[in-house]
Amino acid sequence: MPTLTGRAWKYGHNVNTDVLFPGKYTYTARGREEIARHALEDLDPRFVQEVQPGDVIVAGRNFGCGSSREQAATCLVYNGVSAVIAESFGRIFYRNAINNGLLAIPCPPAAQAIQPGETVTVDLEHHLIRCAAGEFPFPPLSDTLRGIVEAGGLVAYIRGKVRSNE
Amino acid sequence: MTTISSSPPQTFAQKAIARAGGLDRVEVGQIVDVRPDVVLSHDNTAAIRRIWQQFGQARVAIPERIAITLDHAAPPPTARHARNHAEIRAFVREQGIRHFFEVGRGICHQVLSEEALVLPGQMILGADSHTTHFGWLGAFGAGIGRSEVAALWATGELWLRVPESMRIVLEGELPPGVTAKDFALRIIGDLGADGGLYRSVEFSGSGIAAMGLESRMVLPNMMAEFGVKNAYVPPDEKTYGYLAKRLATRYAIGDREMDRSERDGPSTPRSLLADLKALALFPDPDATYVATHVYRAQELEPYIACPHSVDNVVPLSAVAGTRVDQAFLGTCTNGRLEDIAAAVEVIRGRRVAPGTRFLVIPASSQVLQAGLERGYIQALVEAGAVIGVPGCGPCMGNHMGIPAPGEVTISSANRNFRGRMGTADAAIYLANPAVVAASAVAGRIVDPREVVEG
Ligand code: SF4
């Protein structure tokens, strides 16, 4: 697995799905562009204007708490975000992220140490996050989750399964 | 003779996941492929269908396990929303899905409860974070994402990790004016929005046993704001009675599609009760818990969650006097008959304050009908309240009561995140139904006793 490098966008605790992707768009927004446009709309309007492919979101506890809406994860993917590093994740967001190939990495020391705007490297082979404050190890994914990520997300993973059952 | 148990005691979550996974027992941390009894989706069904179509299947795997409601933006506020509903109806027709509930029937969690589509000990996974709701009847309910529902339609199966469990005990009965909502807010306020993160919460104690079913429903529902995977209330005679009555109605109208309930002849209520008891799962007495929190009911009071986070909880008195532009009574948390009754008790013979709107949206058509029969709806309309179509209403900012920038809403809902009701620059306070109604009358946040006695 490769190494990801990007700039850090840093936010606080309990970043919820309503500020990641407002509920009022959830039944009508379709397609990558429209979904990408509303990312973090009520949290940080600068984000969609300035985000670069590969950028990393860094946050405190319980990132993505709230709704089950999957666009809270896909709106980040469609903006090119490569990973979210947080102290902890809301459980449905965590599943949605993995299921869409977005790395959600629980790593409290790194989440606390990383400063806004600095360059962060995620080494997926050695399970290490590198930033100005140093190197921080994070736990590897379980086999099931690695299978999903390596397949390129849940849909591709299940497609493989559906086919092998036929 | 003493028997030595060879298997260590298990929590509810262990037992429910083992059953849904077809295993004898499971351990905390184990990843299990489960086959849920019910798979829930709502207005998001069209988007799920588009994901599912990528699997190239002509038919979903288990149509009788799929339940779909149109509730989140219903009736549709725009042509785009209407097209979304039309796509869902087309899917329902093409796949022959029988558990489909149209616009106006009500909110998914309330409707599936009323229809007795989920039974004790069963598992429901839903593309809705408040699927935790079904813990009120002793079921395992958890929210999942859209891709995961699509995967369940395709295969009937999904992985779950067996969570650690945590116990919350309520000793004694809640005093008058203090509700299950206040208890839930107190828990979240004390332990934080991530206080139950990833855990299974088991409620118990004399205070839970004494609670009516509609109050019990509030607890697992609100636990979604506590970060839990699922929450559980042990079922008892009240639970079985509620479900048996509704199951009997369904069998009488010829719905024979309930899983595990294919029968040779019409069931009597008595045999239904026995079946329900046999399905129920209870934690073993010595099961392992990562934490136990004990609350004494007599020490609780009305609480309120302040903007913009559900764990920003203070006693009601701390924010009394705050101006209110809109009061909203409804949602899957507090839009049932007992909630409407509590509001009517406060508002009967009084008027909504000038300059304040009071919006009441029953959680389901059955709640609306019962409210009409009892004269509650009449009393609310006379007091100046506006009655909405059963469904989610403005809870998540789609329509029917979106606040203007700078406005303050007091709501009986479960979430007060910034922008939740559709306007980023608007404040949402969460409280119990009587407090919402009293604040509508006073035009400011107020203790209901002040309105009733004053
Ligand atoms: S009432 Fe609100 S919380 Fe409940 S299902 Fe509807 S949108 Fe979700």
Side-chain angles (χ1 to χ4, degrees):
Chain A
M1 283 198 118
T3 289
L4 311 170
T5 300
R7 269 183 325 156
W9 293 80
K10 186 150 185 185
Y11 302 106
H13 298 307
N14 298 317
V15 172
N16 65 69
T17 48
D18 280 298
V19 296
L20 287 171
F21 189 88
K24 59 189 168 196
Y25 307 122
T26 176
Y27 306 121
T28 51
R30 283 175 73 160
R32 299 175 73 97
E33 261 174 47
E34 188 181 2
I35 289 171
R37 204 189 308 146
H38 297 298
L40 274 63
E41 187 168 291
D42 289 339
L43 181 68
D44 182 359
R46 265 179 48 237
F47 176 79
V48 288
Q49 285 154 22
E50 297 174 20
V51 65
Q52 299 289 327
D55 281 1
V56 171
I57 288 181
V58 181
R61 294 188 308 271
N62 207 16
F63 184 89
C65 62
S67 162
S68 65
R69 75 185 64 126
E70 201 153 319
Q71 300 102 320
T74 55
C75 73
L76 303 179
V77 174
Y78 298 161
N79 276 298
V81 170
S82 60
V84 183
I85 299 166
E87 292 179 44
S88 61
F89 290 91
R91 55 163 289 274
I92 309 178
F93 178 89
Y94 182 79
R95 296 179 73 104
N96 285 338
I98 298 291
N99 287 338
N100 286 283
L102 173 65
L103 278 160
I105 306 174
C107 184
Q112 287 161 10
I114 295 168
Q115 296 302 310
E118 74 166 284
T119 299
V120 177
T121 300
V122 181
D123 179 338
L124 293 166
E125 199 185 322
H126 301 100
H127 303 106
L128 284 175
I129 294 167
R130 295 196 187 89
C131 62
E135 276 189 0
F136 301 92
F138 61 88
L141 289 174
S142 73
D143 291 348
T144 309
L145 297 197
R146 183 151 19 92
I148 294 171
V149 172
E150 281 172 4
L154 184 71
V155 171
Y157 178 73
I158 299 290
R159 229 189 287 168
K161 268 191 162 182
V162 171
R163 214 168 288 130
S164 58
N165 288 347
E166 273 165 5
Chain B
M1 195 189 83
T2 54
T3 46
I4 296 166
S5 168
S6 58
S7 56
Q10 298 183 77
T11 61
F12 167 76
Q14 282 177 285
K15 292 188 182 185
I17 292 177
R19 179 187 278 174
L23 301 170
D24 289 336
R25 63 170 293 125
V26 296
E27 303 307 327
V28 169
Q30 189 177 336
I31 305 257
V32 181
D33 284 326
V34 295
R35 302 184 73 80
D37 300 278
V38 182
V39 178
L40 159 73
S41 57
H42 43 66
D43 290 45
N44 51 21
T45 304
I48 297 168
R49 181 201 197 191
R50 291 192 289 272
I51 300 170
W52 171 75
Q53 282 169 335
Q54 299 177 45
F55 298 128
Q57 282 179 323
R59 318 288 310 170
V60 294
I62 316 178
E64 65 276 14
R65 292 196 177 195
I66 296 177
I68 298 168
T69 53
L70 298 183
D71 53 1
H72 275 60
T78 68
R80 279 187 100 181
H81 287 89
R83 199 178 327 138
N84 181 56
H85 284 179
E87 274 184 62
I88 297 169
R89 291 190 192 96
F91 173 75
V92 163
R93 270 194 306 274
E94 131 208 327
Q95 297 296 325
I97 287 159
R98 292 197 39 203
H99 301 311
F100 170 63
F101 304 97
E102 261 294 352
V103 169
R105 176 65 185 84
I107 305 165
C108 50
H109 310 302
Q110 178 66 18
V111 172
L112 267 57
S113 296
E114 288 173 356
E115 300 281 338
L117 280 178
V118 184
L119 303 179
Q122 289 193 330
M123 177 177 287
I124 173 168
L125 298 180
D128 189 283
S129 55
H130 292 97
T131 309
T132 53
H133 186 88
F134 296 91
W136 78 265
L137 53 75
F140 185 101
I144 55 175
R146 292 177 178 183
S147 295
E148 298 185 299
V149 169
L152 278 166
W153 288 356
T155 66
E157 205 171 83
L158 188 69
W159 66 273
L160 289 184
R161 181 182 171 276
V162 183
E164 293 80 11
S165 293
M166 169 172 175
R167 229 174 350 186
I168 299 182
V169 184
L170 183 64
E171 297 289 9
E173 283 191 46
L174 291 169
V178 181
T179 69
K181 176 66 155 289
D182 299 298
F183 180 36
L185 289 176
R186 171 69 190 266
I187 294 164
I188 298 165
D190 282 354
L191 303 171
D194 60 350
L197 193 60
Y198 194 68
R199 290 171 177 174
S200 170
V201 165
E202 293 181 7
F203 285 97
S204 60
S206 57
I208 304 293
M211 251 179 221
L213 294 177
E214 294 199 349
S215 295
R216 290 185 194 173
M217 293 178 195
V218 177
L219 298 174
N221 179 287
M222 280 297 292
M223 287 300 100
E225 312 315 319
F226 193 46
V228 307
K229 179 167 208 152
N230 76 297
Y232 164 85
V233 175
D236 61 11
E237 297 300 327
K238 288 185 228 179
T239 324
Y240 308 134
Y242 174 102
L243 294 168
K245 203 171 98 201
R246 283 161 174 81
L247 280 176
T249 312
R250 276 183 48 208
Y251 292 133
I253 59 166
D255 182 348
R256 305 185 48 78
E257 280 198 25
M258 275 308 295
D259 285 345
R260 301 183 182 158
S261 305
E262 289 302 331
R263 290 160 201 286
D264 301 328
S267 297
T268 62
R270 189 186 296 276
S271 76
L272 281 173
L273 279 175
D275 289 353
L276 288 165
K277 277 184 209 177
L279 271 178
L281 292 175
F282 298 92
D284 291 325
D286 299 320
T288 305
Y289 296 91
V290 290
T292 297
H293 299 275
V294 181
Y295 285 89
R296 258 165 272 289
Q298 285 302 324
E299 292 167 8
L300 303 180
E301 55 181 309
Y303 299 99
I304 197 155
C306 302
H308 295 283
S309 136
V310 188
D311 60 4
N312 190 9
V313 173
V314 297
L316 172 63
S317 53
V319 286
T322 305
R323 170 184 59 88
V324 166
D325 300 292
Q326 170 170 270
F328 169 40
L329 180 73
T331 80
C332 56
T333 307
N334 279 126
R336 280 174 286 278
L337 197 63
E338 75 168 18
D339 305 315
I340 292 173
V344 166
E345 204 175 308
V346 173
I347 212 170
R348 198 191 288 280
R350 300 186 174 82
R351 293 283 308 171
V352 173
T356 300
R357 292 100 65 188
F358 186 24
L359 179 61
V360 179
I361 302 190
S364 76
S365 57
Q366 289 186 7
V367 172
L368 173 59
Q369 197 177 344
L372 282 165
E373 282 164 11
R374 286 170 174 72
Y376 294 162
I377 303 297
Q378 179 79 22
L380 287 166
V381 172
E382 278 171 10
V386 178
I387 310 296
V389 179
C392 300
C395 177
M396 60 175 300
N398 272 290
H399 64 155
M400 292 206 290
I402 294 171
E407 284 191 336
V408 175
T409 297
I410 187 163
S411 163
S412 68
N414 45 42
R415 242 170 226 163
N416 61 350
F417 301 155
R418 184 187 296 281
R420 170 71 180 174
M421 294 182 77
T423 312
D425 177 24
I428 308 168
Y429 291 83
L430 305 177
N432 80 41
V435 174
V436 171
S439 304
V441 169
R444 60 193 159 80
I445 295 175
V446 72
D447 188 318
R449 279 170 301 191
E450 211 179 292
V451 169
V452 174
E453 290 157 15

